[in-house]
Amino acid sequence: MTGAAQWTRGGMSIGSVLDLLRPDFPDITISKIRFLESEGLISPERTPSGYRRFSVADVERLKFVLTAQRDQYLPLKVIKEQLEAIDSGAATLGVREARARADGADGPGSAPEPVRPGSALSPPRRLGVVPGEVTPDELRFDSEIRIARADLIEQAGIDEKFLTELIRANLITPGAAGYFNTEAVTLARAAKAMSEFGLEARHLRAFKLAADREAAMIAQIAAPIAKSRDADARARAEETVRELAALSLTLHTSLVKTSVRAALGG
């Protein structure tokens, strides 16, 4: 460890932990770390003057939580249950091994993942701005990773024509100065895969309309939390959006499976 991320005899400060986590989790903030502490996922020691001091185990637990959220899109309740099982000895999976599993190796006991947004991307995923009645400033937690048009085409494995079709169908929208976010890469990859089954960009508008309706409902729930004046309001609002989005994905997948089964006479 170099620079600010140096150990002292009492452990690391929250700022040093932030420096350690940011290379893998660029969106991490002090507010987010404090929020995870308030939810009981980490318990750093306190100095007599009240400052947090983080141990190696605290940092590993944070990496476990952040990786499970980013790559497996798990709600905090599930992650907390996993950590409690590990702490109690009911699970033999250590934090380091669990993090390795969350990084991509699904094994026995892994949570079902019908959809894993952003898992194929090299940059970590983030929720970004939820459309609806909430303004961008109210739910914009950190600046998004900006991806140039040419990089989007390369990362998604599509051509210029296909990207233009996605934009015309309002499935992907360029941001400021024509840049895109990481979600655009995930969406373009999925649309490309679906095109191999004969579905064109115009056929996918129904998915966009359904997603907009779901997002509007989630935004209505998260808006009052985001507008709260307490210090952890944004972190709590982001977590609410994350958990509702995960539940929405599970519900949507189950409904689609049920309907397809019925259509096929299953």
Side-chain angles (χ1 to χ4, degrees):
M1 289 176 286
T2 59
Q6 289 281 355
W7 284 100
T8 66
R9 290 189 63 181
M12 280 195 297
S13 67
I14 194 169
S16 294
V17 172
L18 201 65
D19 291 338
L20 280 178
L21 295 175
R22 271 183 174 156
D24 291 326
F25 308 96
D27 293 340
I28 189 66
T29 62
I30 287 178
S31 177
K32 174 71 171 181
I33 295 174
R34 287 173 176 167
F35 172 72
L36 294 176
E37 179 187 359
S38 71
E39 291 296 304
L41 285 99
I42 55 170
S43 301
E45 293 185 359
R46 297 283 186 134
T47 65
S49 54
Y51 291 104
R52 297 172 177 82
R53 307 308 296 184
F54 293 81
S55 65
V56 173
D58 291 326
V59 175
E60 288 300 321
R61 288 175 76 89
L62 281 170
K63 289 179 180 179
F64 177 91
V65 173
L66 296 172
T67 302
Q69 285 187 318
R70 182 191 70 193
D71 295 348
Q72 295 191 315
Y73 212 47
L74 297 179
L76 280 186
K77 181 180 179 181
V78 174
I79 299 172
K80 188 174 182 180
E81 289 172 353
Q82 292 178 347
L83 287 172
E84 288 174 348
I86 294 168
D87 292 340
S88 67
T92 58
L93 185 64
V95 174
R96 292 176 184 270
E97 290 85 353
R99 185 183 177 222
R101 174 176 292 179
D103 281 335
D106 297 330
S110 297
E113 297 172 23
V115 180
R116 294 181 61 189
S119 60
L121 301 177
S122 52
R125 74 167 309 285
R126 71 182 303 279
L127 293 179
V129 179
V130 179
E133 296 182 358
V134 184
T135 64
D137 286 339
E138 289 170 343
L139 279 181
R140 191 182 184 90
F141 302 100
D142 296 290
S143 60
E144 296 178 340
I145 298 172
R146 300 199 307 172
I147 300 174
R149 188 183 186 97
D151 292 332
L152 168 59
I153 290 173
E154 180 182 356
Q155 291 182 35
I158 60 176
D159 55 28
E160 182 71 38
K161 179 182 177 182
F162 191 74
L163 176 57
T164 299
E165 291 175 356
L166 293 177
I167 293 174
R168 286 176 179 172
N170 200 31
L171 295 170
I172 291 180
T173 304
Y179 285 98
F180 300 86
N181 59 24
T182 56
E183 296 297 346
V185 181
T186 302
L187 196 154
R189 287 176 174 170
K192 176 63 174 177
M194 295 181 79
S195 71
E196 296 175 1
F197 291 89
L199 292 173
E200 300 176 9
R202 60 190 176 88
H203 297 140
L204 305 181
R205 289 174 182 168
F207 293 91
K208 177 66 164 61
L209 293 173
D212 286 345
R213 288 194 294 268
E214 292 173 12
M217 287 190 291
I218 294 174
Q220 288 178 358
I221 296 172
I225 302 173
K227 292 176 180 178
S228 176
R229 295 184 178 181
D230 64 274
D232 294 330
R234 290 196 171 194
R236 289 191 294 108
E238 182 181 35
E239 195 55 48
T240 297
V241 171
R242 188 189 300 274
E243 297 206 21
L244 284 173
L247 291 170
S248 174
L249 288 170
T250 300
L251 178 63
H252 178 81
T253 302
S254 297
L255 289 173
V256 169
K257 285 182 177 179
T258 301
S259 296
V260 169
R261 248 187 234 110
L264 296 177

